[in-house]
């Protein structure tokens, strides 16, 4: 671990997350300032930072006191999707909206998707092996996670490449997907098609299902499609971060290769270790005390997930990557009513990808430097050059 000057203010600097050691800051805050006030600075409003596992979990589990409706990411103003997308609604609307989408992400649905996930994995891996050298982030993980969510939404295979390009353009420009004109136009067109001729895909459910007795507006349906595409960025980062963890800890890869029954535990450890969602934000709906500190109604509270998942009060040797860790009470996928709806899907993608790698790829070597994302919202490698050699 590199040393970093420990100042909580650094946490809002994307450069710290790309090139520095945010864990040094979080470790200090857990010990010395677990409920820390940041005053408004640069373009960001004032907010509170929470860094301990127990405090963060408690906030997630009290959605009545800690609202998601003004945004769940620390930004200059309120989120334009507030009150509209699944992540950005409170009860009772949140539950109804979640009910509309849940059938596409539950265990049964994901089991039904396994064949598609395996075929998509074999296709990206086959191409990567043929290339020899590739960027695991782009050529494997990115393409895989995007094609799976496109399949769920009902986007025809021939359009996946366009969707991949547009979402990458939006992410690279650090803009919201909503502001990419091609993406908005594409979803509007798809919505109209499904209004006229519904099929059994998720877009059809979004345009024809009701919430509170009313159809979603076109804007709400488009925002939710984009939110689902955007949310898979986390799935992609878990795949890349998992690969990086195995490259840095080859003995853990060997253990998994020797005993496949370790796969479920390995997946949980990758989720804990990578904690790709760097923070969630909530807004207090009433005055409340956390560890004796008073938070006022309207205050923003930022939950730093990678910190919770290295909390030494909860995890033995938290800075050790150990695929046999047990128990492993990570909260990488949040907790409470906003618990990640894509959790089963994300786990299935990890299981299939790492299984296929073990089955079909003989050697995996890193072939260039890793570049990490410059973001305070999601963390992990945005580029991981590797050389894959077939068995
Ligand atoms: C390992 C990968 C993933 C991680 C670490 C992750 C993490 C999270 C976290 C922390 C939240 C809570 C956000 C908040 O309320 O502030 C969340 C919610 C959500 N996630 Fe994931 N996620 C992952 C994969 C996925 C995938 C593959 C999808 C695909 C659809 C997805 C879709 C969503 C959605 C729609 C929500 C909002 C749920 C709600 O508010 O009810 N996630 N995720």
């Amino acid at each position: 671990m590199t040393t970093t000057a420990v100042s909580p203010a650094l946490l809002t600097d994307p450069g710290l997350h790309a090139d520095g050691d945010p864990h040094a800051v979080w470790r200090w805050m857990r010990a010395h300032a677990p409920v820390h006030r940041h005053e408004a600075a640069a373009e960001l409003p004032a907010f509170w930072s929470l860094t301990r596992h127990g405090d963060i979990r408690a906030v997630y589990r009290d959605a009545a006191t800690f609202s998601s409706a003004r945004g769940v990411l620390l930004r200059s103003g309120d989120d334009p999707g507030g009150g509209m997308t699944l992540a950005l609604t409170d009860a009772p609307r949140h539950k109804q909206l979640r009910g509309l989408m849940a059938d596409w992400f539950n265990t049964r649905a994901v089991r039904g998707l396994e064949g598609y996930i395996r075929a998509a994995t074999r296709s990206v891996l086959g191409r990567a092996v043929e290339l020899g050298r590739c960027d695991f982030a782009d050529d494997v993980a990115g393409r895989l996670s995007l094609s799976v969510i496109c399949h769920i939404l009902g986007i025809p295979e021939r359009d996946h490449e366009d969707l991949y390009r547009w979402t990458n353009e939006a992410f690279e420009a650090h803009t919201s997907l909503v502001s990419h004109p091609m993406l908005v136009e594409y979803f509007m067109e798809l919505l109209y098609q499904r209004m006229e001729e519904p099929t059994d895909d998720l877009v059809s459910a979004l345009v024809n299902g009701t919430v509170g007795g009313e159809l979603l507006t076109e804007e709400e349906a488009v925002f939710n499609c984009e939110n689902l595409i955007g949310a898979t960025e986390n799935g992609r980062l878990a795949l890349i971060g998992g690969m990086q963890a195995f490259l840095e800890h080859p003995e853990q890869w060997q253990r998994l290769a020797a005993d496949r029954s370790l796969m479920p535990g390995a997946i949980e450890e990758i989720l804990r270790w990578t904690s790709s969602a760097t923070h969630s934000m909530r807004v207090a709906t009433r005055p409340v005390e956390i560890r004796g500190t008073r938070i006022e109604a309207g205050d923003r509270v930022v939950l730093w997930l990678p910190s919770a998942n290295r909390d030494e009060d909860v995890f033995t040797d938290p800075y050790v990557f150990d695929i046999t860790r047990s128990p492993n009470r990570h909260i990488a996928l949040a907790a409470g009513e906003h618990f990640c709806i894509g959790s089963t899907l994300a786990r299935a993608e990890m299981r299939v990808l790492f299984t296929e790698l073990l089955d079909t790829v003989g050697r995996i070597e890193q072939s260039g430097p890793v570049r990490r994302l410059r973001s305070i919202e999601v963390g992990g490698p945005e580029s991981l050059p590797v050389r894959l050699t077939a068995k």
Side-chain angles (χ1 to χ4, degrees):
M1 204 177 301
T2 55
T3 48
T4 302
V6 174
S7 159
L10 286 171
L11 284 181
T12 57
D13 173 5
L16 174 74
H17 301 267
D19 308 316
D21 180 13
H23 280 293
V25 180
W26 288 319
R27 190 171 51 225
W28 184 88
M29 289 172 76
R30 285 196 300 276
H32 303 287
V35 185
H36 179 79
R37 169 92 178 167
H38 301 251
E39 294 309 328
E43 284 169 15
L44 294 178
F47 67 99
W48 296 94
S49 265
L50 299 188
T51 43
R52 289 206 186 161
H53 185 283
D55 297 339
I56 291 178
R57 193 161 173 276
V59 167
Y60 270 136
R61 294 174 71 87
D62 184 0
T65 306
F66 297 101
S67 164
S68 294
R70 286 174 55 190
V72 296
L73 295 170
L74 183 64
R75 289 184 177 163
S76 55
D78 288 353
D79 195 307
M84 288 201 253
T85 66
L86 181 62
L88 307 183
T89 38
D90 290 333
R93 190 173 170 79
H94 172 258
K95 195 169 177 200
Q96 295 162 351
L97 197 50
R98 192 152 169 139
L100 205 59
M101 301 185 198
D103 285 354
W104 274 266
F105 296 102
N106 61 23
T107 311
R108 190 156 163 259
V110 174
R111 209 173 290 135
L113 277 169
E114 278 230 22
Y116 182 86
I117 300 175
R118 184 158 297 108
T121 306
R122 286 183 180 159
S123 157
V124 293
L125 280 182
R127 191 169 155 265
V129 167
E130 240 175 70
L131 286 171
R133 274 165 190 260
C134 71
D135 190 339
F136 195 85
D138 190 27
D139 297 312
V140 178
R143 285 201 149 67
L144 174 61
S145 52
L146 192 96
S147 72
V148 175
I149 192 68
C150 283
H151 180 73
I152 296 173
L153 285 166
I155 294 169
E157 204 82 29
R158 62 175 180 275
D159 296 339
H160 289 194
E161 200 55 38
D162 282 342
L163 268 286
Y164 188 62
R165 202 174 58 251
W166 298 330
T167 48
N168 278 345
E169 282 167 8
F171 284 136
E172 272 160 28
H174 294 284
T175 55
S176 135
L177 297 184
V178 175
S179 59
H180 197 295
M182 301 299 282
L183 210 50
V184 175
E185 200 180 305
Y186 184 88
F187 276 118
M188 286 305 287
E189 177 77 17
L190 190 63
L191 294 183
Y192 286 126
Q193 279 175 21
R194 296 299 190 267
M195 276 177 204
E196 282 167 25
E197 282 180 54
T199 64
D200 59 356
D201 58 31
L202 179 50
V203 170
S204 302
L206 284 172
V207 288
N208 298 304
T210 56
V211 170
E214 286 182 16
L215 290 168
L216 298 186
T217 64
E218 287 162 15
E219 194 182 25
E220 285 169 337
V222 170
F223 271 29
N224 274 291
C225 290
E226 282 164 342
N227 183 229
L228 287 167
I229 297 251
T232 59
E233 172 74 348
N234 267 311
R236 177 177 100 100
L237 287 168
L239 298 175
I240 315 165
M243 188 71 263
Q244 186 193 16
F246 283 128
L247 286 166
E248 287 175 353
H249 303 88
E251 78 292 349
Q252 299 291 318
W253 185 245
Q254 294 313 326
R255 282 177 94 177
L256 186 60
D259 181 358
R260 301 291 182 91
S261 73
L262 299 179
M263 186 64 86
I267 288 168
E268 296 316 307
E269 183 64 347
I270 291 170
L271 287 167
R272 182 191 79 89
W273 186 252
T274 57
S275 267
S276 62
T278 309
H279 79 261
S280 284
M281 189 191 75
R282 296 292 188 260
V283 176
T285 56
R286 63 174 178 86
V288 57
E289 274 200 6
I290 305 178
R291 288 186 187 275
T293 300
R294 189 177 158 95
I295 312 282
E296 299 296 343
D299 281 2
R300 291 172 167 81
V301 181
V302 169
L303 318 174
W304 297 102
L305 294 171
S307 174
N309 289 331
R310 296 285 192 284
D311 190 331
E312 32 294 276
D313 284 351
V314 177
F315 302 99
T316 313
D317 298 329
Y319 296 94
V320 173
F321 178 67
D322 174 6
I323 63 169
T324 61
R325 178 180 294 280
S326 177
N328 189 347
R329 300 199 180 96
H330 71 79
I331 46 172
L333 301 160
E337 54 200 66
H338 285 276
F339 180 74
C340 176
I341 200 171
S343 60
T344 310
L345 180 64
R347 287 179 169 118
E349 286 178 13
M350 281 193 264
R351 178 166 34 78
V352 173
L353 175 61
F354 292 118
T355 302
E356 287 294 322
L357 278 167
L358 287 168
D359 285 348
T360 63
V361 177
R363 270 225 323 259
I364 311 170
E365 299 152 283
Q366 193 175 323
S367 60
V370 175
R371 196 175 63 245
R372 289 182 64 82
L373 279 161
R374 295 183 80 77
S375 165
I376 68 164
E377 298 174 359
V378 283
E382 66 175 343
S383 174
L384 176 61
V386 292
R387 189 181 302 112
L388 304 181
T389 315
K391 257 191 175 158

